[in-house]
Amino acid sequence: MNRDGDKQAAALAAAAEVGDGMLVGLGTGSTAAFVIAEIGRRCAAGLRIEAVVTSLASEAMARAAGIPLRPMDDVARIDLAIDGADEVDPDLQAIKGAGGAMLREKIVAAAARRMIVIADGSKRVARLGAAPIPVEILPLAHAFVVDRIAAIGGVPQLRGTADAPYRTDQSNLVLDCHFGPIADSVSLDRLLSAIPGLLGHGLFLDQIDALYVAEDGVVERIARSVVTTA
Ligand code: A5P
């Protein structure tokens, strides 16, 4: 099966965990788009849920799909968040944020009682770090954060160009930070989180409860300690 087929297969399997009465966190990206479409289809068929979104792009998709939305500023607890990832390791630690939504994605993940990640097989890695870790920063802290990232061994690259930098949904900047293979993700999480002006980063260490990953059409559900075939 092709990669999109695998993304969709993982998304459909995860969407089956959504039930009536839930407040659901909707992720961002091409894999999350399949979940939004499927939940929209089920809402049209009578599923009664509400959702919060992690980006303006997902908001537009969810509205078009007819999913009832609540503003996140009104929400402290979410039943289930479903989102994609850029890399996931065997301990269900992940790098997220290629789509630039990692700050809102982490708030939604932290508010969620359970978080499920959906992915095609290409996202599975033995060790995190081939992908850069995206960090969202306050524009006025740009030079300062670049200096601090370099001081802890990272190579930060401004997303976009100096003349036309990429802007997040919150109008902030993104630095894609290359660290290479990550030996100590917990320490790196602490070091990044301690930099003033760095608003959020794409390392997700303890938020993910389960992964649905599809390879050649076969979906596997991996919980933090249990592996079953979906
Ligand atoms: C969005 O900011 C990201 O965290 C995405 O969830 C992640 O990049 C995966 O995206 P795809 O599903 O498009 O690969």
Side-chain angles (χ1 to χ4, degrees):
M1 193 183 267
N2 61 28
R3 201 168 278 185
D4 274 351
D6 283 341
K7 289 179 183 184
Q8 185 173 27
L12 294 187
E17 295 204 22
V18 175
D20 274 334
M22 282 186 175
L23 180 56
V24 179
L26 300 174
T28 292
S30 57
T31 319
F34 285 115
V35 146
I36 294 171
E38 172 63 5
I39 292 175
R41 189 193 64 73
R42 289 185 57 204
C43 285
L47 177 71
R48 284 174 295 115
I49 63 151
E50 289 185 307
V52 294
V53 293
T54 51
S55 63
L56 297 178
S58 291
E59 180 176 347
M61 277 183 228
R63 282 196 197 289
I67 301 172
L69 295 180
R70 277 178 62 180
M72 186 60 203
D73 59 5
D74 192 30
V75 166
R77 298 282 167 88
I78 294 166
D79 294 303
L80 176 64
I82 306 178
D83 205 344
D86 304 314
E87 289 186 351
V88 188
D89 79 4
D91 297 322
L92 300 193
Q93 299 192 339
I95 291 177
K96 290 179 49 52
M102 56 282 169
L103 177 57
R104 284 171 69 170
E105 289 173 339
K106 196 173 281 182
I107 295 167
V108 166
R113 201 163 52 80
R114 287 193 303 131
M115 181 190 187
I116 292 174
V117 158
I118 48 179
D120 66 86
S122 71
K123 306 293 184 61
R124 281 176 109 165
V125 297
R127 180 182 282 198
L128 299 177
I133 300 175
V135 305
E136 178 162 343
I137 64 168
L138 266 185
L140 67 84
H142 180 191
F144 169 74
V145 177
V146 163
D147 184 68
R148 288 298 171 98
I149 298 277
I152 61 171
V155 180
Q157 190 174 0
L158 180 68
R159 192 177 293 188
T161 64
D163 288 342
Y166 169 88
R167 296 277 177 173
T168 66
D169 287 348
Q170 294 72 239
S171 299
N172 294 313
L173 302 174
V174 170
L175 298 173
D176 289 306
C177 302
H178 298 262
F179 284 92
I182 297 168
D184 185 348
S185 53
V186 174
S187 296
L188 184 55
D189 177 18
R190 285 205 194 105
L191 289 168
L192 289 171
S193 299
I195 299 175
L198 191 160
L199 304 171
H201 63 75
L203 261 186
F204 282 58
L205 301 187
D206 56 13
Q207 291 87 357
I208 300 167
D209 297 292
L211 165 69
Y212 281 92
V213 59
E215 215 146 5
D216 297 326
V218 179
V219 181
E220 190 179 5
R221 185 186 194 281
I222 302 168
R224 278 204 169 256
S225 53
V226 186
V227 179
T228 55
T229 302

